[in-house]
Amino acid sequence: MRHTLFKILALFFIAYSSAQNVDISGNVQDESGFPIPGVNIVVKNTSKGSITDFDGNFNITGVDVGSTLSFSYIGYINKDVVIANNSTLTVIMVEDIAKLDEVVVIGYGTQKKKDVTGAVSIVSAEAIDELRPIDAAQALQGTSAGVSVTAPSGSPGGGFNILIRGVSSNGDNGPLVVIDGYKGDLNTINPSDIETFSILKDAQAAIYGIEGANGVILVTTKSGKKNMAAKISYDGYTGIQQTTRELPYLNATEYALLLNESYAANGNALPFPNVSGLGTGIDWQKELFKTAPITSHNVTVTGGGDKSTYYVGGSILEQDGIIASDKSNFQRANMKVKLAFDITEKLKFTTSANYFNTNRKTIGENALGTPLFNALNYAPTYSLDQEDLSGFLGNEVINPLSQIANTYNEYNGNSIEGTFQLDYKPIEGLTITSRIGVKAYNDKGKTFSPIINYGSGKVFNTDRSSVNQYRNTNNNYTWDTFATYNKTFSEKHNTTFTLGTTAQRAWGDNLSGTGYDVPNNSWEFADISLAPGISEAKSAGSYIYDGRQSSYFARAQYDFKGKYLISALIRRDGSSDFAAKNRIDYFKSATAGWKISDEPFMADSKTINFLKLRASYGTLGNNNAGKDLYRALLDGEATYVFDGSLISGVATGRIPTPDSVWESAEKLDIGLDINLFNNKIEITTDYFVEDRNRLLIPNLPVSGILGGYAPGAGLPTTNAGSTRNKGIELFINYKEELSDNLSMGISYNVTKIDGEVTAVKDDIFSEGGSFSVGQPAISRLEVGQPMGYFYGLKTDGIFQNQAEIDAAPSQTELGAATAPGDFRFQDINGDGVITIDDRTYLGKPQADYIMGLNLTFKYKNFDFVSYMYAEIGKETVRNYERDQPNVNRLNLYLNRWTGEGTSNSVPRTTIGGTSNKLFSDFYVEESSFLRLQNIQIGYSLSQDVVEKLGISKFRLYATVNNPFTFTKYRGYDPAATNGDAIGGGIDYGFYPISRQFILGLNLSI
């Protein structure tokens, strides 16, 4: 009886204790006593929790005695504290030195940062949040050493070009992008859904075989956390956009005076006998550029239980163009779901899915004859609605506002992409992963050309309306199955083995057609089903593609006592893109590292906290330019005679090359990682060399008997060249807690790159790029020169008088007589006469140096960030000036030659024939620049205030994107390029990037 009574009392006491609630408050600090803001605190097995404020303080009400508080923060070891009473807690969190701030994704696995032996750069979610990029690729600009990001256009939805350690190939130099394990694109995902970028820059990327030569960008998206109460977050902003620049062009009076001078120089009557009433006239750039809105909304819900996590997000972005916003705009909607479940203690399931939808309208850009090109060249003496009916400005320049009004198109794309992954751990140390990544992308577009007459002889005139429509279907999947085994022997020998296989397939089709005679000559009726007209020319087209790849890979990683590290891998790839005899290849790499700071002689160092020497070497592949080269395709043109009639048909196209194989890259990297002064300073430096071999060079000359010069045919693409890129990277990061209320951070990265073509079969050069109309190509691939360098005539001042002309080599073979005020061209080959053979190197579109400087400051509840990006040592071709006598011009012609001694750089003006319009260094400008990409100031409510409001975070911020660009270049954007290896860096009038003024809100509940 007594024992029974005792048990009852004990149970009552336990029940009473369990039911007792207390209020908990406290402070979270690091080992140095500094407060840690943003620590996530959860009462285990409940929905209660909190986040520490800027001073590391927190409080939670109504916590059961005996409950466990779980403290977690990136870079620190998770800590659990059992609640015994309501006293104030002081929680010390220990930095997780094993992580060195983060775990790095390296491809088919992860590795602790301190153990990485390859060249890997990390861009975190924090940097993405600070930059607020529209396209995820923008977050890489200036934040990662060795990575350059350029925009082919500033138009909404224009996309970006990414290069890792320069241009090595004459084809596609873009990196492989892998998102949560599937092959994807950065422009289809919401930047706010990204947790980290891992950028593989050296031979470590050989784990991706024939797709790794241009580098690999591994994207990890955000996930929920276990034992975390549901957290709802909203991130939204709204703002306005403006052009960053208007080019200095002549006003109406200046234009008329210059034109009068041109006509008088040729003995013609003056086109403007009276210029007194012209004034400034119409500024066509101001008429095109308008202030445009931009808005973004992003909502996420994250959390997790004991055995599951979830992340659900939805976003929508709307951006109008700063030119013709009703004809140039972009909408993107994303839906993201990421779930993980522990099915058993040994089996885990993870799935990640992203839905993407985009709608876009565009105007013509970055080409001769686009609205912006016409705005620069149209005469300022014309009124807003006045057409050049007489053809005074030539046949290729029209009223840009009329052109925009008659521009009609639309584009819509949808994509569903994601992964399904199982991780099974049958025994300790062994994990077997099977993952399938899929992507299905479908898009459609429509363009309408109405009947329109812009004036006599204009090439834009259309006497018959038409509508073109197309649909594309694109699919791919990647199925990876691999096993990873970790084992430590004798407490000193740590090993990791990875063995796996990959199967890939990419397939799709296209169907396009054109209809004529659209009813009512109207966009509302622009549909092939309503257009009954027919044409003698082919009005429909289609294509299909189906590529497959099968791979096997193995990797072994070993370290002794955690300080001597080596890794080796091999991958066997087979691709259907090449003939059967050339489909298989092997890619190998080896890396090594030495943690010098772990040696006994470094144990007492007060300055160096971490020091690692590393090196890598290996071979990788690039098959981006090699599809179907071994096949003879029926895509040429031919005319046949049947029953005495001529019938249009098809013939073989490009000459096949069955011996072609993919490019190969040999990469060497030697690097050093250093942490100094209690890890406040982080330094990473690399020296790298890449030899790209077996370049697939198109249009190599062969015998005409083979039919390469027939209509629709082409010369073969053959492995016939090599390049070498070498350089140095430096990354420095400094973080400091200056006081309890003030912290700061500075990071700087710079990359020096030297690249040249080292060999081409038979010393044949390849050409690309265009200048004006009817002139030879101006970009070249040639031995001893940088890829895609500019090739033209070099000037040596201006002839001041006839005596100088008589004493100089003759220039008449260039096509026009020489007169005082014309360019003096250099006799490069020394043959005593100036011809087209005197063309030479005039510059290159790739920069010698790329760099970024990023600043962060936090004071109490205020935060400030600024990002800068620069490219130094490059040139751009100014090609937005039309070669017609009566068009408008840059105001640099106000400093033209008008008589002896007046100018030695800008030639005379005349409507007569002259060689001054030939491509020369006069049209090549230095385009080095420093761009202030982003300035952001934020204010967060204190933890006490947000708790009273019943929320966990409230932050307001103001951002200015692209506020300033410092450059000597006269064009809109010194960074703009179409991305072509041969033909890049030529400015036809790039749509300028916008300056954005943004107000935003971060809210979490």
Side-chain angles (χ1 to χ4, degrees), residues 682-722:
E682 177 187 358
I683 301 174
T684 300
T685 183
D686 287 86
Y687 169 76
F688 60 88
V689 179
E690 176 184 344
D691 289 311
R692 186 70 64 94
N693 301 310
R694 307 188 309 204
L695 294 182
L696 286 163
I697 299 178
N699 299 319
L700 283 178
V702 296
S703 172
I705 298 176
L706 298 176
Y709 299 94
L715 297 175
T717 297
T718 306
N719 297 108
S722 61

Side-chain angles (χ1 to χ4, degrees), residues 430-502:
L430 176 63
T431 301
I432 301 173
T433 299
S434 186
R435 174 178 64 212
I436 185 167
V438 297
K439 180 174 182 179
Y441 181 73
N442 303 291
D443 62 352
K444 62 181 180 178
K446 179 168 67 174
T447 302
F448 168 58
S449 298
I451 299 173
I452 188 70
N453 190 325
Y454 293 103
S456 176
K458 299 292 185 182
V459 297
F460 300 94
N461 292 343
T462 304
D463 57 9
R464 190 181 189 189
S465 64
S466 64
V467 56
N468 176 267
Q469 293 175 256
Y470 68 87
R471 292 178 181 269
N472 296 315
T473 300
N474 303 277
N475 307 281
N476 69 67
Y477 72 77
T478 302
W479 186 7
D480 301 316
T481 300
F482 57 97
T484 302
Y485 182 64
N486 299 285
K487 181 68 174 178
T488 298
F489 300 94
S490 303
E491 299 182 354
K492 297 178 181 179
H493 306 278
N494 304 302
T495 60
T496 301
F497 300 96
T498 303
L499 181 67
T501 181
T502 295

Side-chain angles (χ1 to χ4, degrees), residues 752-780:
K752 171 69 167 70
I753 303 175
D754 293 313
E756 69 169 324
V757 178
T758 54
V760 179
K761 182 180 179 181
D762 300 327
D763 290 331
I764 296 171
F765 56 82
S766 294
E767 294 184 315
S770 63
F771 180 81
S772 190
V773 175
Q775 296 198 36
I778 65 172
S779 299
R780 282 196 169 191

Side-chain angles (χ1 to χ4, degrees), residues 16 37 39 174 235 250 260 292 352 357 415 559 625 656 660 666 696 837 932 934 958 977 980 999:
Y16 174 80
V39 176
D235 178 11
L250 301 176
N260 284 344
S352 174
N357 172 264
S415 176
D559 72 73
S660 62
E666 295 182 46
L696 286 163
D837 294 331
L932 182 56
N934 169 279
T977 178
D980 291 346
L999 291 175

Side-chain angles (χ1 to χ4, degrees), residues 202-204 206 587-591 616-620 665-669 689 691:
D202 66 343
Q204 190 170 234
F587 302 92
K588 304 169 285 292
S589 77
T591 65
S616 66
Y617 174 79
T619 59
L620 306 90
E666 295 182 46
K667 296 193 178 189
L668 169 69
D669 186 281
V689 179
D691 289 311

